Amino acid sequence: CILIGLSGCTTLPQRSVDPIPLPGAFSNSGETPADVRWWLTFNDSALTQYIETALSSNFSLLATRERIVQAQAVAKQAGAALIPSLDGEGSASRNRDYDSNINNDNFSLGLAAAYEVDLWGRLRNIKDAARLDLKATQADFATAQLSLSSEVALVWFQVTEAEQQLLLLHKQKETNEKVLEVISTQFRSGKTDISDVLQQRQLVESNRGALAKLHADKRIFEQQLAILLGQTPEKSIAEKMQELPNLPQLPVTGIPVELVTKRPDVNASFVRLQATDQRSAAAVASRFPRLSLTASFYTSGNSAKDLFSNWFSTLAANLFGPIIDGGYLKAEVEKTQSLARQQLHSYSQTILEAIGEIENSLVRENQLLQSLESEKIQLQLATETIEHVG
């Protein structure tokens, strides 16, 4: 009864995926189901190729993937403590009595097994914590994949934008140079002032400066893209996007409480909270007595041929527990419980930041759509003006 009562001290808290009050819905939502491979909605083969290359060759992502292998090994090590261990032993020794000038040899072979009975679930808690750490590491990898794919897309669009701006600036520069020739001819014939010539020259030079800066920006974007792809930034990318793609439809945002299942960074924070709870329970269980079982089976003899003549076996049970430790184990419990509260606060903050990021994206999406519509109207008005003046 005492053992059963003590085991109740290691009960884990029930954690909710929404530890803070959440809004019922986001400010806006689309109708298109969200796709894991979201970049396919742009229907751009080059973008798809670049993102897939980055997901398989980016060195930072490969390093993050190795953390999964490490976490798997740690989980295996934690689980090994629940399984009995078996070791092989062998020894050979010689003792010499110089008074009688006699040598005494001794040879032994045997097997030794040990097992700790997990009375309070300490070993199970440690194993579960390592398993949850593995899940959190896998979620971190998914977060890194998502971040990398979005960064590749952003840089690719920046390259395309710079390419289109270069074409526009070249045309503008050619036009300004032609206007400069006309104004210079008018100045030589006395029809215009020197200030008009100087202003037009300044405009042409400003075009050249803008072209130089834009060429540098485009080159920097291309180098950034090459590094994201795991390549040396030596050459310009071969394939060019003809124009920026049309914006896809806004995906379904869902409800805020679904963030824990949709966003890997939020999921990772929640899983780490659960792992911290497991370690807190293991720290509590460490204050209780431990029961270990040992068994050995061996043979010995004065010569190698006598090894298997005499067999011996032992079986023992050991019960030990802390009595005086200077408050070390109690302090460990307080530390792990504080870590659990800290992780709970971090998880709540992660949820708030995730909701804020989505809401900010929805605001920017709406603003960009309005700006795009305004640009289209301005372009139409400018075209009509040119046609009317012509």
Side-chain angles (χ1 to χ4, degrees), residues 246-276:
N246 295 325
L247 293 176
Q249 295 294 324
L250 184 68
V252 177
T253 55
I255 58 177
V257 74
E258 292 178 350
L259 282 175
V260 70
T261 57
K262 286 188 176 182
R263 285 192 51 144
D265 56 336
V266 180
N267 186 31
S269 183
F270 179 68
V271 173
R272 284 196 171 90
L273 172 61
Q274 294 177 309
T276 308

Side-chain angles (χ1 to χ4, degrees), residues 121-137:
R122 182 182 67 88
L123 299 178
R124 185 180 66 254
N125 292 142
I126 295 175
K127 175 187 176 182
D128 291 342
R131 178 180 54 82
L132 290 169
D133 284 338
L134 173 59
K135 292 180 62 176
T137 305

